[in-house]
Amino acid sequence: MSTFHSNEYPLSNSQQNIRSLEQAYPGTSINNICETVRIRGNFDIPLLQECLNRIVASDPGLRTQIRLKEDGTPVQYETAYQECQFPVLDFSSTNQNGLAYWESMKTREAMPLADCPLYAFWILRWGEHEGGVLVKTHHLISDGWSEVDLINRIATTYLSLLNGEEPDLSNRVSYQRHVEAEQAYLASKACERDSRYWKKILQEPCAPVTLKDGSG
């Protein structure tokens, strides 16, 4: 029996395109977005655990999961925050090649999509005062811009906690607001007008354009 979540809402058009790509290349890392935050100097694992938990608590996007309805339609919902102990791996006894190989293998692993987190954090240590965090998100909840934003939030939050300051982590806006705005537009007369315009434009073949050689 499937589980019903009261805050379910549909996927956006861009998320549906991402899911179609996932279905075309199942079991691959095509939609993985990964980055490693590297920390030198004051590397405090308990403080890093607190930092990551605060990030998750303040971000409904990270807590968004996907499920399939009985008719096969995908929907998304936001889960309640639960404190997590993220895995800690010690690479101090291996070299940088060993660490790079592990990072490459982990980033290439496909992420499960049904009723499970679409992000993962691994805390890594490779020296007495040096380590980092491997951040892995699925394109269904992230893109290049939001990944950079997430990395910056991890860095600033960790530095604030390290300095004994309260980090500025106001709650993020739910992606549901974007989906609702998109659904309203698709049902509007403006969408009908725009659709007629582009259908008219595309009825005639576009004239070929020669790109200028930018080497000069």
Side-chain angles (χ1 to χ4, degrees):
M1 180 180 296
S2 60
T3 302
F4 173 76
H5 300 273
S6 60
N7 62 343
E8 289 177 351
Y9 56 99
L11 273 61
S12 67
N13 279 346
S14 59
Q15 286 177 311
Q16 292 176 25
N17 291 334
I18 293 167
R19 183 171 179 271
S20 295
L21 185 62
E22 187 82 21
Q23 291 177 310
Y25 299 94
T28 70
S29 60
I30 192 168
N31 282 312
N32 290 356
I33 302 177
C34 305
E35 189 62 59
T36 299
V37 183
R38 301 185 181 275
I39 301 171
R40 294 177 180 174
N42 293 318
F43 184 64
D44 187 320
I45 290 178
L47 209 61
L48 201 47
Q49 292 277 11
E50 180 182 352
C51 166
L52 297 176
N53 271 285
R54 289 202 184 205
I55 294 289
V56 175
S58 67
D59 193 341
L62 286 175
R63 303 196 310 274
T64 296
Q65 298 186 14
I66 307 291
R67 85 168 186 93
L68 293 180
K69 298 170 67 175
E70 292 182 357
D71 62 359
T73 303
V75 291
Q76 56 190 326
Y77 59 95
E78 295 166 7
T79 61
Y81 164 69
Q82 291 184 331
E83 185 175 358
C84 179
Q85 279 295 113
F86 298 102
V88 179
L89 296 95
D90 192 340
F91 288 90
S92 57
S93 61
T94 186
N95 56 29
Q96 287 297 316
N97 290 334
L99 173 60
Y101 177 77
W102 180 88
E103 287 178 304
S104 176
M105 294 298 295
K106 187 58 66 174
T107 58
R108 291 173 184 271
E109 288 181 359
M111 300 183 71
L113 301 183
D115 293 302
C116 58
L118 296 174
Y119 77 93
F121 298 138
W122 292 270
I123 298 176
L124 315 175
R125 175 191 288 279
W126 53 79
E128 184 177 357
H129 304 290
E130 191 173 7
V133 182
L134 175 60
V135 178
K136 181 176 180 178
T137 58
H138 195 280
H139 197 14
L140 282 167
I141 63 166
S142 182
D143 57 18
W145 182 90
S146 60
E147 187 78 357
V148 171
D149 178 64
L150 174 58
I151 296 300
N152 288 337
R153 280 186 286 139
I154 292 174
T156 56
T157 301
Y158 180 72
L159 287 174
S160 294
L161 294 173
L162 200 62
N163 293 326
E165 302 168 353
E166 186 64 24
D168 180 13
L169 276 176
S170 54
N171 289 335
R172 315 294 288 184
V173 176
S174 171
Y175 189 69
Q176 184 174 359
R177 290 178 58 179
H178 167 75
V179 175
E180 290 172 348
E182 183 181 75
Q183 293 290 318
Y185 168 74
L186 292 174
S188 69
K189 292 184 178 180
C191 180
E192 295 179 7
R193 183 181 64 248
D194 294 343
S195 179
R196 288 195 301 269
Y197 170 81
W198 286 110
K199 285 180 179 178
K200 182 179 179 180
I201 292 295
L202 296 175
Q203 282 179 350
E204 298 293 334
C206 298
V209 176
T210 302
L211 299 178
K212 294 181 180 180
D213 186 354
S215 61

